[in-house]
Amino acid sequence: MNKDQVWKLFTLTNDNGMTVEFMNYGCIITKIQVPNKYGNFENVVLGFEDYQDYRADSFYLGALIGRVAGRIKGASFQLNGKTYTLDANDGDSCLHGGSIGLNQIVWEANPFQDNNRVGVHLCYQCVDGEAGFPGSVRIQVTYSLDNANQFTIQYKAETDQTTPLALTNHSYFNLSGDLKKTIHNHHLVLDSNRFAELDDTMLPTGMLQHVEGTSFDFRKGRELGQGLNDRSWQNQVANNGYDHYFIFNHKLVHQVVMKDFDSGRVLTIKTNEPGVVMYTSNTLTDGLRFAEGISRQYLGVCFETQASPASLHHEGFPSAILQAGETYDKQTIFTFSVEE
Ligand code: FUC
């Protein structure tokens, strides 16, 4: 456990002037400043103006979420013949690790620098039974930035008892810069053939749907706005937008490529995770004070690269179980560039 409860803010800066700012509290990313096609640096993630607002943030802005990101049905699961009960903090479900998740913990932070990158190791030791999950789990999350404008999040963990673990980051990206506009015109390529169908309580039904012929087909690229407005049943159950788990094909070099043509900014994501929850801030309320303006629906898009909590109740979903003695070793690389 980290004895130091003081909140600290870190800024990683590379030779190009790109910066990534985050706290040891919840490993929360508060700002990412990258240039547009004219060389102007602006922030491309949602973050509060007043950092105290992160304390009770039900939107998980920029946070490290877990132990299990996403919804666990009935806030319970069975493992090796035992039933475990978790906090029901989202209707009957357990969302993003329960009412005290990893996003509300002060992590031990150790900065480092090597030839190619600067970074911070963020460490936390989960206690057996914490938030209802079994196992004492030692987690090390490393944030690093290199001179190719690559921001890497590496997750390493070990547990003394077999347990579910699905860590991810909940940053809301908006490539327009400083919240100039919503994400409707962001153009997205997603390397996925199948997504998890949701029921009207936002839980996976257990069915995987093929994307072909739907607004979930981003294989050849489409603007997000086409799907936000299409009134399909699946987008309506998710409060008129995307809040779905896509399984990656892992056929392309990058699993996600998102462009904003006005600013010229491009974000690519490469990961060894089996899939991603894409959440288009459908339920983001109006009126929150962000660093560059006021919140509204569709102001950002999250790419929560992760294993699936639905695997705890259904067959055919990527497993979120970490075996005792096994090393959890995942990484997601966010690269920022510009195109004319
Ligand atoms: C996302 C979603 C949820 C939720 C939230 C803030 O990951 O899956 O529906 O509203 O985070």
Side-chain angles (χ1 to χ4, degrees), residues 67 84 126-130 133-137 159-163:
R67 291 189 192 188
Y84 294 90
C126 300
V127 178
D128 179 24
E130 191 173 327
F133 291 97
S136 161
V137 184
T159 176
D160 62 356
Q161 286 177 53
T162 297
T163 190

Side-chain angles (χ1 to χ4, degrees), residues 58-60 65 70-71 90 95-96 170 172 202 239 243-244 277-279 282-284 302 304 306:
S58 57
F59 298 104
Y60 300 84
I65 51 174
R71 291 182 173 78
D90 184 77
L95 176 65
H96 298 335
H170 205 282
Y172 294 70
M202 302 284 302
N239 301 293
D243 196 351
H244 296 77
V277 173
M278 179 167 75
Y279 169 57
N282 321 327
T283 54
L284 186 61
C302 301
E304 303 159 56
Q306 60 176 101

Side-chain angles (χ1 to χ4, degrees), residues 5-294:
Q5 292 299 311
V6 177
W7 290 22
K8 292 182 183 157
L9 188 64
F10 295 86
T11 304
L12 305 179
T13 307
N14 71 8
D15 290 351
N16 311 319
M18 173 178 165
T19 58
V20 179
E21 195 182 284
F22 54 90
M23 292 188 284
N24 59 348
Y25 177 70
C27 305
I28 293 171
I29 296 170
T30 52
K31 271 184 191 154
I32 298 181
Q33 308 256 14
V34 291
N36 64 6
K37 61 186 170 189
Y38 307 112
N40 298 329
F41 284 79
E42 288 166 314
N43 183 18
V44 292
V45 292
L46 306 190
F48 288 112
E49 182 184 58
D50 181 349
Y51 283 33
Q52 290 304 324
D53 290 347
Y54 286 107
R55 213 177 270 285
D57 172 22
S58 57
F59 298 104
Y60 300 84
L61 292 189
L64 184 288
I65 51 174
R67 291 189 192 188
V68 175
R71 291 182 173 78
I72 298 178
K73 185 181 178 174
S76 91
F77 63 93
Q78 294 192 333
L79 188 62
N80 299 331
K82 270 186 81 173
T83 301
Y84 294 90
T85 306
L86 311 166
D87 288 334
N89 61 334
D90 184 77
D92 295 336
S93 309
C94 175
L95 176 65
H96 298 335
S99 51
I100 304 285
L102 297 177
N103 58 305
Q104 288 155 295
I105 302 286
V106 177
W107 293 61
E108 185 188 316
N110 296 304
F112 68 92
Q113 178 161 8
D114 58 32
N115 286 343
N116 304 313
R117 55 186 193 141
V118 286
V120 178
H121 297 300
L122 296 141
C123 302
Y124 181 65
Q125 173 95 41
C126 300
V127 178
D128 179 24
E130 191 173 327
F133 291 97
S136 161
V137 184
R138 203 166 55 84
I139 304 174
Q140 178 176 282
V141 175
T142 302
Y143 286 173
S144 67
L145 178 65
D146 69 13
N147 285 329
N149 287 3
Q150 296 193 121
F151 171 60
T152 300
I153 305 182
Q154 187 187 50
Y155 305 86
K156 291 225 176 190
E158 277 169 12
T159 176
D160 62 356
Q161 286 177 53
T162 297
T163 190
L165 190 70
L167 307 174
T168 191
N169 176 268
H170 205 282
S171 288
Y172 294 70
F173 294 97
N174 182 325
L175 299 179
S176 71
D178 290 352
L179 313 185
K180 271 190 213 47
K181 53 177 194 178
T182 59
I183 52 165
H184 286 81
N185 298 125
H186 283 37
H187 179 272
L188 180 72
V189 176
L190 198 60
D191 179 20
S192 171
N193 287 348
R194 290 174 305 155
F195 69 98
E197 179 188 271
L198 297 178
D199 68 18
D200 56 12
T201 66
M202 302 284 302
L203 285 164
T205 60
M207 296 286 293
L208 289 169
Q209 297 279 2
H210 203 283
V211 296
E212 182 79 43
T214 74
S215 59
F216 291 75
D217 190 350
F218 289 95
R219 293 171 300 178
K220 296 211 166 70
R222 64 163 66 231
E223 288 194 351
L224 284 172
Q226 292 172 8
L228 301 178
N229 299 327
D230 83 345
R231 306 186 139 265
S232 68
W233 165 57
Q234 273 303 294
N235 282 12
Q236 283 185 347
V237 294
N239 301 293
N240 301 310
Y242 300 95
D243 196 351
H244 296 77
Y245 186 68
F246 291 78
I247 296 189
F248 289 136
N249 302 331
H250 279 293
K251 290 232 171 79
L252 304 175
V253 181
H254 297 109
Q255 284 66 59
V256 177
V257 179
M258 185 164 75
K259 290 183 195 169
D260 171 50
F261 291 104
D262 290 345
S263 69
R265 289 191 181 92
V266 181
L267 165 64
T268 62
I269 299 177
K270 188 169 158 49
T271 183
N272 62 356
E273 292 280 9
V276 64
V277 173
M278 179 167 75
Y279 169 57
T280 44
S281 53
N282 321 327
T283 54
L284 186 61
T285 49
D286 292 346
L288 304 173
R289 286 176 60 181
F290 290 163
E292 298 85 11
I294 302 296

